[in-house]
Amino acid sequence: MIKGYLLMEAALLVSAASAHAADSASFKPVDDRRIRAVDSKLLLTNELTDYSSGFGRRRETTAEFNADLGRTAVTLSASQAKRKFETDSYKAVEVAGTLYHDWNSRLYTRTHVALASDKPVFASRQIANDFNFKLRSNVVATLGGKYARYYGDRDVLSWSAGGTWYFGGGFASYRYSNYDVDRLGNSHSHLASVRLKDPRGSGQTQLWLGSGTSLHEQEVALSGRKGSYRSVSLQRVQPIKGPLAVNFTLGRTWYDTDAADYRGTTASVGLNYSGWRIF
């Protein structure tokens, strides 16, 4: 049986994170009957990003729910965010769903759909699919595609490729993404991540490192800008008691755009309850 899981995307990645790093971080290979196993989880997260040089701030609150349905796992989430600039501010809501399915002992897919208000806060629509191939008992390769529409009716098509290596006590992953941005051209991103579990207990620590020219993936307000970015994020999952745990995340992104250079500092805290089942 797949065990359900719920992970904050984004934090970064972060934004969400991310999403790419979050997806890799959620799962681990098990026996030959499953490519990856997941822990069921309810998660509430509050995230704040403060930008330098008068570029304002962003606050986001997210509730996530994951259900274990056997060979299939489903994640549902709802987010509300406010992006405040020097003179203007925008509020938006996003609802999203992700379906994970094991097709056989070597192939599983991840399908993600999201809809949001047409504001410079979230992508207004997204649909993505990943094909994940178990090459060895501890090595998974990923090939994916994605369509998204951003504020101002700017469409983005992308493909990505990467892999995850699982070892005793953690994993290391890497993903390359290439984007075709309407009225802007091509851009790309690199994302690497390492997760280490505590030698004792259920705590864990994860690091993300990112870079590239896909500014729209880091800051929706930059979907029409050319430039580059670098990012680093560190997350600690600290058990409290029983199924309760607290997630702490700190991150920073440096933006170098054709209009200005600035940075964003992100801090988030989440409370999760894991290990439950609906069946």
Side-chain angles (χ1 to χ4, degrees):
M1 296 282 290
I2 291 181
K3 297 178 180 178
Y5 172 83
L6 209 53
L7 179 67
M8 137 186 197
E9 212 46 59
L12 297 164
L13 293 142
V14 226
S15 111
S18 226
H20 300 317
D23 300 330
S24 298
S26 306
F27 299 88
K28 59 184 179 181
V30 283
D31 57 37
D32 289 338
R33 294 170 299 166
R34 285 292 179 269
I35 292 176
R36 56 186 186 176
V38 202
D39 293 327
S40 300
K41 188 175 295 184
L42 292 172
L43 177 64
L44 297 174
T45 304
N46 189 57
E47 177 181 293
L48 175 66
T49 301
D50 186 67
Y51 299 95
S52 65
S53 304
F55 280 83
R57 60 176 49 190
R58 186 181 193 274
R59 183 183 295 275
E60 180 177 344
T61 302
T62 300
E64 299 181 0
F65 162 85
N66 192 77
D68 175 4
L69 304 175
R71 296 184 65 87
T72 301
V74 179
T75 296
L76 302 175
S77 68
S79 301
Q80 182 181 50
K82 180 179 181 179
R83 180 66 169 95
K84 181 175 176 59
F85 298 94
E86 189 173 12
T87 58
D88 300 309
S89 64
Y90 300 88
K91 292 182 179 180
V93 174
E94 180 189 65
V95 293
T98 305
L99 180 71
Y100 304 91
H101 185 71
D102 281 346
W103 294 96
N104 53 51
S105 64
R106 292 195 174 274
L107 170 67
Y108 71 84
T109 55
R110 170 192 178 274
T111 303
H112 176 77
V113 177
L115 296 173
S117 311
D118 187 19
K119 304 286 180 61
V121 181
F122 299 106
S124 60
R125 65 191 69 170
Q126 298 182 67
I127 181 168
N129 196 79
D130 287 343
F131 295 92
N132 301 275
F133 305 92
K134 183 180 177 182
L135 303 182
R136 301 181 60 183
S137 62
N138 65 336
V139 177
V140 175
T142 301
L143 182 64
K146 178 180 176 180
Y147 162 77
R149 171 166 287 186
Y150 290 84
Y151 183 67
D153 294 334
R154 190 179 299 273
D155 294 330
V156 179
L157 292 172
S158 65
W159 63 268
S160 61
T164 305
W165 169 53
Y166 298 88
F167 52 86
F171 72 81
S173 66
Y174 168 77
R175 188 157 186 158
Y176 170 81
S177 300
N178 189 279
Y179 306 86
D180 182 8
V181 185
D182 181 34
R183 291 167 280 156
L184 197 64
N186 285 96
S187 62
H188 68 273
S189 68
H190 303 272
L191 183 64
S193 182
V194 176
R195 172 192 275 186
L196 297 176
K197 296 181 180 179
D198 292 354
R200 298 179 180 178
S202 57
Q204 59 191 27
T205 303
Q206 185 162 354
L207 173 70
W208 291 269
L209 297 173
S211 67
T213 58
S214 56
L215 295 176
H216 62 279
E217 285 287 312
Q218 304 300 313
E219 162 72 301
V220 173
L222 296 177
S223 60
R225 294 286 186 181
K226 286 183 176 290
S228 62
Y229 74 91
R230 293 171 292 119
S231 66
V232 59
S233 183
L234 183 67
Q235 182 185 78
R236 172 63 186 170
V237 178
Q238 182 62 47
I240 301 176
K241 184 178 181 181
L244 289 176
V246 177
N247 299 354
F248 298 101
T249 306
L250 289 175
R252 173 163 286 186
T253 302
W254 293 265
Y255 303 93
D256 181 3
T257 77
D258 54 5
D261 298 342
Y262 63 101
R263 65 182 181 274
T265 302
T266 298
S268 73
V269 59
L271 179 65
N272 67 63
Y273 179 86
S274 61
W276 60 276
R277 288 180 177 272
I278 61 174
F279 298 114

